[in-house]
PDB file of all heavy atoms in Angstrom:
ATOM      1  N   ALA E  33      43.035   8.494 -37.260  1.00 94.00           N
ATOM      2  CA  ALA E  33      42.059   9.604 -36.959  1.00 94.00           C
ATOM      3  C   ALA E  33      40.577   9.310 -37.278  1.00 94.00           C
ATOM      4  O   ALA E  33      39.751   9.797 -36.672  1.00 94.00           O
ATOM      5  CB  ALA E  33      42.490  10.864 -37.689  1.00 94.00           C
ATOM      6  N   SER E  34      40.375   8.496 -38.243  1.00 93.00           N
ATOM      7  CA  SER E  34      39.100   8.178 -38.718  1.00 93.00           C
ATOM      8  C   SER E  34      38.510   6.967 -38.270  1.00 93.00           C
ATOM      9  O   SER E  34      37.258   6.690 -38.147  1.00 93.00           O
ATOM     10  CB  SER E  34      38.949   8.166 -40.251  1.00 93.00           C
ATOM     11  OG  SER E  34      39.684   7.024 -40.691  1.00 93.00           O
ATOM     12  N   GLY E  35      39.438   6.036 -37.696  1.00 89.00           N
ATOM     13  CA  GLY E  35      38.938   4.754 -37.226  1.00 89.00           C
ATOM     14  C   GLY E  35      38.695   3.769 -38.368  1.00 89.00           C
ATOM     15  O   GLY E  35      38.085   2.683 -38.160  1.00 89.00           O
ATOM     16  N   ASP E  36      39.230   4.082 -39.654  1.00 89.00           N
ATOM     17  CA  ASP E  36      38.925   3.158 -40.717  1.00 89.00           C
ATOM     18  C   ASP E  36      40.343   2.350 -40.951  1.00 89.00           C
ATOM     19  O   ASP E  36      41.259   2.819 -41.529  1.00 89.00           O
ATOM     20  CB  ASP E  36      38.552   3.947 -41.973  1.00 89.00           C
ATOM     21  CG  ASP E  36      38.252   3.039 -43.134  1.00 89.00           C
ATOM     22  OD1 ASP E  36      38.616   1.812 -43.156  1.00 89.00           O
ATOM     23  OD2 ASP E  36      37.732   3.502 -44.133  1.00 89.00           O
ATOM     24  N   TYR E  37      40.354   1.099 -40.501  1.00 89.00           N
ATOM     25  CA  TYR E  37      41.549   0.307 -40.447  1.00 89.00           C
ATOM     26  C   TYR E  37      41.569  -0.719 -41.572  1.00 89.00           C
ATOM     27  O   TYR E  37      42.240  -1.706 -41.489  1.00 89.00           O
ATOM     28  CB  TYR E  37      41.734  -0.242 -39.090  1.00 89.00           C
ATOM     29  CG  TYR E  37      42.129   0.675 -38.078  1.00 89.00           C
ATOM     30  CD1 TYR E  37      41.056   1.211 -37.223  1.00 89.00           C
ATOM     31  CD2 TYR E  37      43.359   1.206 -37.905  1.00 89.00           C
ATOM     32  CE1 TYR E  37      41.373   2.129 -36.261  1.00 89.00           C
ATOM     33  CE2 TYR E  37      43.670   2.111 -37.024  1.00 89.00           C
ATOM     34  CZ  TYR E  37      42.638   2.576 -36.158  1.00 89.00           C
ATOM     35  OH  TYR E  37      42.906   3.538 -35.121  1.00 89.00           O
ATOM     36  N   ASN E  38      40.903  -0.501 -42.641  1.00 88.00           N
ATOM     37  CA  ASN E  38      40.901  -1.473 -43.724  1.00 88.00           C
ATOM     38  C   ASN E  38      42.335  -1.616 -44.131  1.00 88.00           C
ATOM     39  O   ASN E  38      43.047  -0.597 -44.659  1.00 88.00           O
ATOM     40  CB  ASN E  38      39.995  -0.987 -44.927  1.00 88.00           C
ATOM     41  CG  ASN E  38      39.858  -2.146 -45.953  1.00 88.00           C
ATOM     42  OD1 ASN E  38      40.837  -2.808 -46.247  1.00 88.00           O
ATOM     43  ND2 ASN E  38      38.717  -2.084 -46.543  1.00 88.00           N
ATOM     44  N   PRO E  39      42.838  -2.873 -44.169  1.00 89.00           N
ATOM     45  CA  PRO E  39      44.257  -3.097 -44.409  1.00 89.00           C
ATOM     46  C   PRO E  39      44.728  -2.743 -45.858  1.00 89.00           C
ATOM     47  O   PRO E  39      45.927  -2.665 -46.045  1.00 89.00           O
ATOM     48  CB  PRO E  39      44.544  -4.573 -44.047  1.00 89.00           C
ATOM     49  CG  PRO E  39      43.208  -5.251 -44.126  1.00 89.00           C
ATOM     50  CD  PRO E  39      42.212  -4.097 -43.653  1.00 89.00           C
ATOM     51  N   VAL E  40      43.782  -2.665 -46.846  1.00 90.00           N
ATOM     52  CA  VAL E  40      44.171  -2.262 -48.159  1.00 90.00           C
ATOM     53  C   VAL E  40      44.859  -0.811 -48.151  1.00 90.00           C
ATOM     54  O   VAL E  40      45.534  -0.459 -49.002  1.00 90.00           O
ATOM     55  CB  VAL E  40      43.077  -2.203 -49.212  1.00 90.00           C
ATOM     56  CG1 VAL E  40      42.611  -3.549 -49.498  1.00 90.00           C
ATOM     57  CG2 VAL E  40      41.985  -1.251 -48.928  1.00 90.00           C
ATOM     58  N   HIS E  41      44.542  -0.025 -47.091  1.00 94.00           N
ATOM     59  CA  HIS E  41      45.057   1.348 -46.936  1.00 94.00           C
ATOM     60  C   HIS E  41      46.418   1.340 -46.213  1.00 94.00           C
ATOM     61  O   HIS E  41      47.112   2.290 -46.317  1.00 94.00           O
ATOM     62  CB  HIS E  41      44.054   2.260 -46.360  1.00 94.00           C
ATOM     63  CG  HIS E  41      42.766   2.309 -47.085  1.00 94.00           C
ATOM     64  ND1 HIS E  41      42.685   2.596 -48.522  1.00 94.00           N
ATOM     65  CD2 HIS E  41      41.416   2.079 -46.705  1.00 94.00           C
ATOM     66  CE1 HIS E  41      41.383   2.615 -48.739  1.00 94.00           C
ATOM     67  NE2 HIS E  41      40.639   2.184 -47.715  1.00 94.00           N
ATOM     68  N   THR E  42      46.710   0.383 -45.332  1.00 94.00           N
ATOM     69  CA  THR E  42      47.671   0.577 -44.356  1.00 94.00           C
ATOM     70  C   THR E  42      48.702  -0.491 -44.352  1.00 94.00           C
ATOM     71  O   THR E  42      49.869  -0.374 -43.790  1.00 94.00           O
ATOM     72  CB  THR E  42      47.098   0.719 -43.001  1.00 94.00           C
ATOM     73  OG1 THR E  42      46.416  -0.437 -42.762  1.00 94.00           O
ATOM     74  CG2 THR E  42      46.318   1.907 -42.809  1.00 94.00           C
ATOM     75  N   ASP E  43      48.527  -1.671 -45.004  1.00 94.00           N
ATOM     76  CA  ASP E  43      49.318  -2.842 -44.867  1.00 94.00           C
ATOM     77  C   ASP E  43      49.823  -3.151 -46.266  1.00 94.00           C
ATOM     78  O   ASP E  43      49.051  -3.805 -47.096  1.00 94.00           O
ATOM     79  CB  ASP E  43      48.555  -3.954 -44.238  1.00 94.00           C
ATOM     80  CG  ASP E  43      49.226  -5.229 -43.967  1.00 94.00           C
ATOM     81  OD1 ASP E  43      50.281  -5.444 -44.633  1.00 94.00           O
ATOM     82  OD2 ASP E  43      48.887  -5.967 -43.024  1.00 94.00           O
ATOM     83  N   GLU E  44      51.023  -2.866 -46.585  1.00 94.00           N
ATOM     84  CA  GLU E  44      51.585  -3.085 -47.893  1.00 94.00           C
ATOM     85  C   GLU E  44      51.461  -4.625 -48.264  1.00 94.00           C
ATOM     86  O   GLU E  44      51.116  -4.858 -49.426  1.00 94.00           O
ATOM     87  CB  GLU E  44      53.093  -2.571 -47.861  1.00 94.00           C
ATOM     88  CG  GLU E  44      53.747  -2.697 -49.249  1.00 94.00           C
ATOM     89  CD  GLU E  44      53.381  -1.438 -50.119  1.00 94.00           C
ATOM     90  OE1 GLU E  44      52.783  -0.480 -49.635  1.00 94.00           O
ATOM     91  OE2 GLU E  44      53.710  -1.596 -51.389  1.00 94.00           O
ATOM     92  N   VAL E  45      51.821  -5.455 -47.324  1.00 93.00           N
ATOM     93  CA  VAL E  45      51.773  -6.966 -47.751  1.00 93.00           C
ATOM     94  C   VAL E  45      50.493  -7.373 -48.134  1.00 93.00           C
ATOM     95  O   VAL E  45      50.218  -8.049 -49.140  1.00 93.00           O
ATOM     96  CB  VAL E  45      52.367  -7.763 -46.634  1.00 93.00           C
ATOM     97  CG1 VAL E  45      52.255  -9.256 -46.920  1.00 93.00           C
ATOM     98  CG2 VAL E  45      53.876  -7.391 -46.401  1.00 93.00           C
ATOM     99  N   PHE E  46      49.381  -6.900 -47.396  1.00 90.00           N
ATOM    100  CA  PHE E  46      47.985  -7.323 -47.628  1.00 90.00           C
ATOM    101  C   PHE E  46      47.617  -6.600 -48.939  1.00 90.00           C
ATOM    102  O   PHE E  46      46.988  -7.358 -49.778  1.00 90.00           O
ATOM    103  CB  PHE E  46      47.118  -6.792 -46.462  1.00 90.00           C
ATOM    104  CG  PHE E  46      45.632  -7.163 -46.630  1.00 90.00           C
ATOM    105  CD1 PHE E  46      45.136  -8.360 -46.220  1.00 90.00           C
ATOM    106  CD2 PHE E  46      44.769  -6.344 -47.447  1.00 90.00           C
ATOM    107  CE1 PHE E  46      43.866  -8.702 -46.431  1.00 90.00           C
ATOM    108  CE2 PHE E  46      43.479  -6.623 -47.691  1.00 90.00           C
ATOM    109  CZ  PHE E  46      42.989  -7.941 -47.238  1.00 90.00           C
ATOM    110  N   ALA E  47      47.933  -5.446 -49.086  1.00 90.00           N
ATOM    111  CA  ALA E  47      47.443  -4.667 -50.390  1.00 90.00           C
ATOM    112  C   ALA E  47      47.946  -5.279 -51.607  1.00 90.00           C
ATOM    113  O   ALA E  47      47.242  -5.332 -52.570  1.00 90.00           O
ATOM    114  CB  ALA E  47      47.715  -3.193 -50.289  1.00 90.00           C
ATOM    115  N   THR E  48      49.229  -5.760 -51.532  1.00 89.00           N
ATOM    116  CA  THR E  48      49.879  -6.285 -52.738  1.00 89.00           C
ATOM    117  C   THR E  48      49.668  -7.751 -52.921  1.00 89.00           C
ATOM    118  O   THR E  48      49.184  -8.106 -54.028  1.00 89.00           O
ATOM    119  CB  THR E  48      51.375  -6.016 -52.833  1.00 89.00           C
ATOM    120  OG1 THR E  48      51.884  -6.483 -51.572  1.00 89.00           O
ATOM    121  CG2 THR E  48      51.560  -4.520 -52.760  1.00 89.00           C
ATOM    122  N   LYS E  49      49.818  -8.520 -51.851  1.00 87.00           N
ATOM    123  CA  LYS E  49      49.850  -9.943 -52.036  1.00 87.00           C
ATOM    124  C   LYS E  49      48.441 -10.492 -52.012  1.00 87.00           C
ATOM    125  O   LYS E  49      48.046 -11.501 -52.671  1.00 87.00           O
ATOM    126  CB  LYS E  49      50.743 -10.655 -51.018  1.00 87.00           C
ATOM    127  CG  LYS E  49      52.176 -10.250 -50.960  1.00 87.00           C
ATOM    128  CD  LYS E  49      52.914 -11.268 -51.832  1.00 87.00           C
ATOM    129  CE  LYS E  49      54.407 -10.836 -52.089  1.00 87.00           C
ATOM    130  NZ  LYS E  49      55.168 -10.730 -50.902  1.00 87.00           N
ATOM    131  N   VAL E  50      47.653 -10.015 -51.131  1.00 81.00           N
ATOM    132  CA  VAL E  50      46.289 -10.588 -50.927  1.00 81.00           C
ATOM    133  C   VAL E  50      45.258  -9.828 -51.853  1.00 81.00           C
ATOM    134  O   VAL E  50      44.532 -10.462 -52.679  1.00 81.00           O
ATOM    135  CB  VAL E  50      45.755 -10.523 -49.485  1.00 81.00           C
ATOM    136  CG1 VAL E  50      44.411 -11.077 -49.348  1.00 81.00           C
ATOM    137  CG2 VAL E  50      46.809 -11.293 -48.606  1.00 81.00           C
ATOM    138  N   ALA E  51      45.232  -8.419 -51.795  1.00 79.00           N
ATOM    139  CA  ALA E  51      44.242  -7.745 -52.567  1.00 79.00           C
ATOM    140  C   ALA E  51      44.597  -7.485 -54.011  1.00 79.00           C
ATOM    141  O   ALA E  51      43.793  -7.082 -54.728  1.00 79.00           O
ATOM    142  CB  ALA E  51      43.925  -6.412 -51.777  1.00 79.00           C
ATOM    143  N   GLY E  52      45.912  -7.712 -54.297  1.00 81.00           N
ATOM    144  CA  GLY E  52      46.412  -7.616 -55.736  1.00 81.00           C
ATOM    145  C   GLY E  52      46.555  -6.172 -56.277  1.00 81.00           C
ATOM    146  O   GLY E  52      46.479  -5.970 -57.457  1.00 81.00           O
ATOM    147  N   TYR E  53      46.594  -5.241 -55.393  1.00 86.00           N
ATOM    148  CA  TYR E  53      46.940  -3.793 -55.761  1.00 86.00           C
ATOM    149  C   TYR E  53      48.484  -3.591 -55.856  1.00 86.00           C
ATOM    150  O   TYR E  53      49.245  -4.179 -55.280  1.00 86.00           O
ATOM    151  CB  TYR E  53      46.317  -2.789 -54.812  1.00 86.00           C
ATOM    152  CG  TYR E  53      44.836  -2.871 -54.843  1.00 86.00           C
ATOM    153  CD1 TYR E  53      44.159  -3.408 -53.699  1.00 86.00           C
ATOM    154  CD2 TYR E  53      44.132  -2.168 -55.772  1.00 86.00           C
ATOM    155  CE1 TYR E  53      42.769  -3.460 -53.711  1.00 86.00           C
ATOM    156  CE2 TYR E  53      42.784  -2.139 -55.769  1.00 86.00           C
ATOM    157  CZ  TYR E  53      42.062  -2.807 -54.737  1.00 86.00           C
ATOM    158  OH  TYR E  53      40.696  -2.840 -54.629  1.00 86.00           O
ATOM    159  N   PRO E  54      48.828  -2.569 -56.709  1.00 91.00           N
ATOM    160  CA  PRO E  54      50.291  -2.252 -56.824  1.00 91.00           C
ATOM    161  C   PRO E  54      50.944  -1.819 -55.553  1.00 91.00           C
ATOM    162  O   PRO E  54      52.103  -2.029 -55.247  1.00 91.00           O
ATOM    163  CB  PRO E  54      50.462  -1.220 -57.936  1.00 91.00           C
ATOM    164  CG  PRO E  54      48.931  -0.673 -58.093  1.00 91.00           C
ATOM    165  CD  PRO E  54      48.072  -1.764 -57.679  1.00 91.00           C
ATOM    166  N   THR E  55      50.109  -1.198 -54.640  1.00 94.00           N
ATOM    167  CA  THR E  55      50.614  -0.789 -53.353  1.00 94.00           C
ATOM    168  C   THR E  55      49.424  -0.327 -52.564  1.00 94.00           C
ATOM    169  O   THR E  55      48.284  -0.541 -52.990  1.00 94.00           O
ATOM    170  CB  THR E  55      51.660   0.344 -53.419  1.00 94.00           C
ATOM    171  OG1 THR E  55      52.154   0.718 -52.163  1.00 94.00           O
ATOM    172  CG2 THR E  55      51.153   1.612 -54.147  1.00 94.00           C
TER     173      THR E  55
END
Side-chain angles (χ1 to χ4, degrees):
Chain E
S34 68
D36 184 343
Y37 292 97
N38 188 325
V40 295
H41 302 304
T42 54
D43 183 334
E44 184 79 15
V45 176
F46 181 90
T48 55
K49 298 268 171 63
V50 181
Y53 292 103
T55 182

